Amino acid sequence: MNLATLDDKTVAVAAPAEAAVGVPLALLVANPRNPREALGDLSDLQSIVKRQLQPCLVVSAKGYLALWPEDAEKVGDAQYVVVNGCRRLAAARKFGRTDLLVVHDESVASSRGELLGAAVDENIGRQDFDIIEEARAVDAVVAEYSSTREAAKARGWTHGWISQRRALLKLSPAMQAALRAGDLAVRDARRLARVPAEEQVAVWRAEQEAAERRKKEEAERRKLATQQPAPAPASEPEADSVVTAVTTSADGSDPSTGDEGSSSVVTAVTTEEEGRGVPAPRQDAPLASGGEAGAAIAQEGRAFDRSGLPWADPEAFHALLLREMRLENRVELTKLLIASNTAAREAASSS
């Protein structure tokens, strides 16, 4: 290190980015412009007594006082001002370490904005860095430049991020306290910052009450939904239900014509289905023969009333089947229709 004299005291002046060296604590002072108002609990740094994992960044007292001569009393007899590592310095003093490893980089003291920005950069993103402290530090850095845009370019920050942080300083003291305590989310704080300070508390409370009402209403809706009775299962046909038959030709013609060349499809209809609108069978009506299934039913002597069924309207008949016939029966009916139509086509082509 190079030596220089400041007010009859010997101080070290170093070129940028020197290697880390050990310096007695008596020659070090914490940055009077540290953006952190409180250092918090230092117990996580107790191991610094045995090992220092990261050196501190320092500038000479002379270089610091050239920027802020009004801080001479705070700097005192120290030769170095710790820019980054104030918590490590405090922990070393608290737990009995006698020196600290430091890196002396005088370029950090090239301007107020540079030194303040370096102090802020170390703390940004740390969980224990108070967000209002961060906002104030960012505002102090920007104040050292001619514009927000110039500050953003110099520090590598975005213009939007700077604006968001500085907006938090427009919060009333009560809202800043709520933000620091974690009762107010940052996104809500930025929105409230656009409200006049004297109205912020009232607006925030109104929003909280509205959110609570919505929460209760949603809980009530969920409760009512769980109390709704479950839909009744589809009733199965009774074992002793009377089974009748409905026969239609596969080509859609009226089976009453008795066309020998047409195939028939048989649909089972229970007495329960009769009560839902399917015409009841009449025992004295003859059953048209058509296909093996139709002939088998005819031999058993079962019959049905053809009147009232939409034989000439396939769409209406389809709707009736969807309403009255179970899924597995409709599947079977489809197979029968395909088979009978295929047989009818083959018979027609061979004749």
Side-chain angles (χ1 to χ4, degrees), residues 4-351:
T5 302
L6 176 65
D7 296 337
D8 299 328
K9 292 190 289 289
T10 301
V11 298
V13 179
E18 286 189 354
V21 294
V23 175
L25 298 186
L27 300 181
L28 300 174
V29 65
N31 177 13
R33 305 283 170 166
N34 185 8
R36 302 182 66 136
E37 297 175 2
L39 299 179
D41 184 10
L42 298 175
S43 59
D44 61 312
L45 294 175
Q46 188 170 357
S47 62
I48 200 171
V49 173
K50 296 181 179 179
R51 183 178 292 105
Q52 182 182 348
L53 300 178
Q54 183 180 4
C56 302
L57 174 65
V58 301
V59 297
S60 69
K62 179 182 179 180
Y64 178 89
L65 291 174
L67 301 174
W68 287 284
E70 63 271 26
D71 290 347
E73 185 175 346
K74 296 177 181 178
V75 172
D77 296 331
Q79 291 188 13
Y80 301 102
V81 175
V82 176
V83 179
N84 292 344
C86 294
R87 292 187 76 244
R88 276 162 276 166
L89 175 60
R93 286 175 173 156
K94 179 177 181 179
F95 298 117
R97 187 179 175 108
T98 59
D99 65 353
L100 275 182
L101 292 174
V102 303
V103 172
H104 183 190
D105 187 351
E106 201 66 14
S107 67
V108 175
S110 61
S111 69
R112 287 189 174 197
E114 185 66 27
L115 192 147
L116 291 175
V120 173
D121 286 340
E122 184 195 33
N123 290 285
I124 287 176
R126 290 190 175 180
Q127 187 175 1
D128 57 353
F129 189 30
D130 184 274
I131 192 167
I132 295 298
E133 289 180 348
E134 182 181 77
R136 290 172 179 166
V138 170
D139 188 61
V141 171
V142 173
E144 299 299 332
Y145 293 88
S146 60
S147 67
T148 302
R149 195 170 304 279
E150 182 185 349
K153 182 178 180 181
R155 303 309 316 161
W157 302 336
T158 66
H159 188 278
W161 182 83
I162 293 176
S163 298
Q164 289 176 0
R165 287 300 180 268
R166 298 178 79 191
L168 300 179
L169 300 179
K170 297 179 181 179
L171 291 172
S172 66
M175 289 294 90
Q176 289 189 13
L179 179 61
R180 284 176 145 173
D183 298 329
L184 177 63
V186 174
R187 63 180 181 276
D188 296 329
R190 291 200 296 264
R191 186 183 66 256
L192 286 172
R194 296 192 291 265
V195 178
E198 62 274 12
E199 301 175 12
Q200 290 173 2
V201 174
V203 171
W204 181 49
R205 288 176 179 172
E207 291 178 348
Q208 285 184 309
E209 293 172 359
E212 187 64 26
R213 284 196 301 270
R214 289 193 297 269
K215 184 178 179 181
K216 290 181 178 179
E217 291 171 358
E218 179 62 23
E220 187 64 24
R221 281 195 295 270
R222 291 181 179 178
K223 181 179 179 182
L224 291 175
T226 59
Q227 294 175 348
Q228 293 293 333
S235 59
E236 297 290 340
E238 296 293 337
D240 57 351
S241 298
V242 178
V243 178
T244 59
V246 177
T247 306
T248 181
S249 62
D251 60 1
S253 62
D254 192 329
S256 61
T257 60
D259 185 0
E260 292 291 335
S262 64
S263 301
S264 299
V265 178
V266 180
T267 302
V269 181
T270 67
T271 53
E272 289 182 352
E273 292 171 329
E274 293 174 6
R276 297 200 296 268
V278 176
R282 204 175 60 218
Q283 298 299 327
D284 57 348
L287 178 66
S289 61
E292 296 178 0
I297 293 177
Q299 290 176 2
E300 295 178 7
R302 285 180 284 167
F304 66 94
D305 185 359
R306 300 178 186 86
S307 63
L309 292 176
W311 302 107
D313 189 345
E315 291 186 1
F317 208 103
H318 177 252
L320 179 65
L321 292 178
L322 288 178
R323 189 178 73 245
E324 303 296 340
M325 183 178 285
R326 295 172 62 85
L327 175 61
E328 57 268 26
N329 293 336
R330 294 200 304 272
V331 171
E332 185 63 26
L333 173 61
T334 302
K335 294 178 182 178
L336 292 171
L337 284 171
I338 293 173
S340 61
N341 284 341
T342 301
R345 283 194 298 271
E346 292 175 351
S349 63
S350 61
S351 60

